Amino acid sequence: MAVVAVVDGLVGPSVGLLPLVALGPAFAGLVGPWGRTVVIGVLSLAIVCGLGVVDGLFAERRGFAAIGAVIGVTVAGVIAAVTRQRREAELANVRSIAEVAQRVLLRPVPLIAGPLRVAVSYTSAVAEARIGGDLYEVVPSPAGVRVIIGDVQGKGLDAVETAAVVVGAFREAAFDEKTLEGVGERVRRAADRALGGEKFVTALMAEISPLHGTTLLNFGHPSPLVLGPDGQVSFPEPPQFAVPLGLGMREDDTPVPFAVDFRPGDQMLLYTDGVTEARDPAGAFYPLGLRAYLLREPDPQQALEILREDLIRHSQGPLHDDAAMLLLRYREPAPEGEPGAAPEADTSDTSGASDASAADTDTETDTDAGASPAGDEGEAAGPAAGARSGS
């Protein structure tokens, strides 16, 4: 408005710039509250009246036309501002409700769970969404720490609803069931009821116990990455592949639980196929095994963030599928002589010993079962072949 007033004062009324003063309230209505639009409209009207008097425009219709233009644009700007503010308030309310629903579905995992340090990363392929069709949960139970990570077929609200069914069934079963097979069976029945064979969910369940080792149950999900303290990378596969959840199972399709060598100092990365199937512009898949050395960062969450940033750099743009990663870092026992070393040594010895040694130390283990080992995390570095699987 000031520019129009200055130019009009310099060139005179012959150019006819006075109606351009109405641009002030027009732009104010697009970006500001309605009160600011009214103030700017009044200032614009004052400028038009002042310049009209100076230029002698009220002797003809041009001056009154300029006043009418400013008033009309100001009213329209106020209406637009009020409508926009109402929609912004509704959108903020919807986002608030969505955030609550997201926290209920994928609530923060515990940073410490039994002998494990836990970190999680989730990148949704849907803009403005924090969750999608991937799911994860960590539940400390009497049988050990039980973990699930899964990938629902499809995207959007339907995938979120399915993920809620699976996560809810796992949370209930993980604490109640005595075996990991029992947990898997209850989750399978819940998924079959919800999906009816129309969609499916790949899932990987794990049970980590210092006394009984680590057991996995794979429902058609990508194999986890296990990283040793010496940098050795492996992708343990099930002895028998099973169909995903929700497709219904014959007796020979039931997943077989299998043991994995996962001990203090090791790391296990559970992930969805959005990680291994991320492509660069040349079409190459993300080499997860070769990038395992990025997990050497002492802080688990920071290590996972470094890996996530590397994944995004590899794709050079937004991911085309949800990518969830759950890092389990098996804590090393405290060295002897440090505070808390005695109970930690008992638990570690029991978890890493042979069956005969476990029997000899059974009484001591029962005494110290509640202790949580603490210590330095293992570092890992080294290339290995990547693995990918799709749902």
Side-chain angles (χ1 to χ4, degrees):
M1 295 186 301
V3 173
V4 173
V6 171
V7 173
D8 184 83
L10 294 175
V11 301
S14 59
V15 180
L17 297 177
L18 200 58
L20 294 180
V21 177
L23 291 176
F27 284 114
L30 292 176
V31 297
W34 67 269
R36 183 188 301 174
T37 304
V38 171
V39 172
I40 294 178
V42 172
L43 291 177
S44 300
L45 187 62
I47 292 175
V48 168
C49 292
L51 291 177
V53 172
V54 172
D55 296 338
L57 298 179
F58 291 110
E60 49 188 275
R61 296 180 179 179
R62 290 173 56 189
F64 296 102
I67 291 177
V70 170
I71 294 175
V73 171
T74 300
V75 172
V78 169
I79 295 175
V82 171
T83 303
R84 177 176 49 79
Q85 285 182 282
R86 288 179 179 176
R87 291 180 178 176
E88 289 176 351
E90 292 175 357
L91 181 59
N93 189 36
V94 170
R95 285 180 175 175
S96 176
I97 295 173
E99 288 179 0
V100 173
Q102 289 170 348
R103 287 196 296 267
V104 170
L105 176 56
L106 294 183
R107 59 193 181 191
V109 299
L111 300 180
I112 302 293
L116 304 175
R117 295 184 67 187
V118 183
V120 66
S121 171
Y122 193 102
T123 305
S124 176
V126 179
E128 302 296 332
R130 297 182 183 177
I131 61 173
D134 290 357
L135 58 98
Y136 57 82
E137 184 58 289
V138 178
V139 178
S141 73
V145 180
R146 287 174 170 168
V147 181
I148 186 174
I149 190 166
D151 186 1
V152 180
Q153 177 194 18
K155 298 180 178 66
L157 292 178
D158 290 341
V160 174
E161 291 176 359
T162 302
V165 171
V166 174
V167 171
F170 177 81
R171 286 172 180 166
E172 181 179 357
F175 197 84
D176 295 340
E177 295 293 334
K178 295 181 179 180
T179 65
L180 188 61
E181 301 96 298
V183 177
E185 178 61 21
R186 285 181 59 175
V187 174
R188 182 193 67 80
R189 290 199 302 264
D192 287 346
R193 288 194 301 267
L195 300 178
E198 297 181 357
K199 292 186 178 181
F200 61 86
V201 182
T202 66
L204 177 66
M205 302 181 191
E207 180 180 281
I208 300 99
S209 170
L211 298 178
H212 305 102
T214 299
T215 304
L216 300 183
L217 197 63
N218 196 322
F219 292 85
H221 197 78
S223 299
L225 180 152
V226 178
L227 182 64
D230 57 353
Q232 183 178 1
V233 177
S234 63
F235 292 87
E237 295 185 349
Q240 175 182 330
F241 288 91
V243 300
L245 300 167
L247 295 180
M249 292 186 185
R250 302 188 304 270
E251 186 173 349
D252 57 348
D253 288 331
T254 303
V256 178
F258 60 103
V260 174
D261 188 15
F262 182 52
R263 61 186 63 189
D266 291 345
Q267 301 184 75
M268 180 182 293
L269 179 68
L270 287 71
Y271 55 91
T272 58
D273 60 5
V275 176
T276 52
E277 293 186 354
R279 297 173 182 259
D280 63 11
F285 291 105
Y286 183 69
L288 180 60
L290 296 176
R291 305 297 173 85
Y293 69 90
L294 296 173
L295 298 174
R296 69 174 63 189
E297 177 70 27
D299 179 63
Q301 190 62 53
Q302 183 63 27
L304 208 54
E305 181 62 23
I306 292 174
L307 186 64
R308 189 188 76 88
E309 292 176 354
D310 184 71
L311 174 66
I312 294 176
R313 282 195 299 269
H314 174 84
S315 62
Q316 297 185 19
L319 298 178
H320 298 291
D321 193 7
D322 299 333
M325 294 183 287
L326 188 64
L327 181 62
L328 308 176
R329 184 170 288 181
Y330 212 133
R331 298 182 293 165
E332 292 181 345
E336 293 186 10
E338 292 188 3
E344 300 300 334
D346 295 340
T347 304
S348 175
D349 291 342
T350 303
S351 63
S354 63
D355 294 341
S357 177
D360 294 337
T361 58
D362 182 66
T363 303
E364 186 177 2
T365 303
D366 292 339
T367 304
D368 300 321
S372 296
D376 299 333
E377 300 82 6
E379 295 186 354
R388 65 185 179 88
S389 174
S391 63

